[in-house]
Amino acid sequence: MNVIHNGVDRQRFCPDLPTRASARRELGLAEDDFCIGCVGNFFPVKGHITALQAIAGFAAQSKPWRLLLIGDGPERAALEAFVNAQPNWKHRVHFLGTSHRVPELMNAMDVYVLPSVAEGISNSLLEAMATGLPVIASDTGGNPEVVVNGDSGLLFPVGDARALMDHLLTLQASDGRRRNLANRALRRVREEFSLETMIGKYAELYESLARTAVAPVHAAAGV
């Protein structure tokens, strides 16, 4: 069986330092703010509550931080209630709603988190990797197909806020570790999950099917 994964547009999602600087200024992020980002609709299956629980522990041990939540949905009120119940979170968590500026906002981030309970091949995960972000994702569904744990990103067990917190603390503490994961994520997207790779694999599949269809005709004709 041939599996052809979705490809990400690497022209639209890519590291862009000028965009990063302007987006962070617009959001009011300081130079040393460690910016965590999540993109996804606010449904229970997306696991945003796990991310917030992890950040509650992370915040007690970390340097300055911010959280960008891009998306909307029925869980928004519950997520906002969790945030409002935490001391000193008011200006650190940004609910940005549904946005057409995801490439710009991703460039403002320092790390991307995908805490889903269940997931297919996540476009937002691929987009974050193509933006040059170190990624932390739950070990479920298609995420382990996209992220090679410890190489092109980090995985954690579904719902394990403590493990996610530990990953966040590790990445905040080490610029080198973040750069290494980001570079390997970029390479993995380029080699396995780019539009160019997807188109090439479809072309190979169609050529293979064409050869298979033509072969019996030649055989029947005694060729």
Side-chain angles (χ1 to χ4, degrees), residues 13-107:
F13 291 91
C14 60
D16 188 321
L17 290 177
T19 296
R20 173 179 171 82
S22 62
R24 286 177 72 92
R25 280 196 304 270
E26 179 184 333
L27 292 164
L29 303 184
E31 182 73 23
D32 62 345
D33 279 332
F34 184 69
C35 185
I36 305 159
C38 298
V39 179
N41 291 323
F42 297 159
F43 290 98
V45 72
K46 290 298 184 180
H48 287 91
I49 193 64
T50 298
L52 292 180
Q53 290 167 346
I55 290 168
F58 166 84
Q61 305 179 51
S62 74
K63 302 171 184 177
W65 60 276
R66 297 289 188 97
L67 173 64
L68 307 183
L69 293 172
I70 304 168
D72 213 337
E75 287 286 288
R76 178 163 182 160
L79 299 175
E80 288 179 333
F82 186 99
V83 168
N84 292 335
Q86 310 305 313
N88 305 317
W89 278 33
K90 183 177 180 180
H91 300 295
R92 295 193 179 278
V93 180
H94 304 257
F95 286 87
L96 299 177
T98 302
S99 176
H100 298 294
R101 301 175 59 207
V102 173
E104 297 169 56
L105 295 170
M106 280 189 169
N107 267 289

Side-chain angles (χ1 to χ4, degrees), residues 128-151:
M129 293 169 70
T131 304
L133 290 172
V135 297
I136 307 173
S138 52
D139 190 1
T140 187
N143 292 346
E145 293 183 55
V146 175
V147 174
V148 178
N149 189 34
D151 182 84

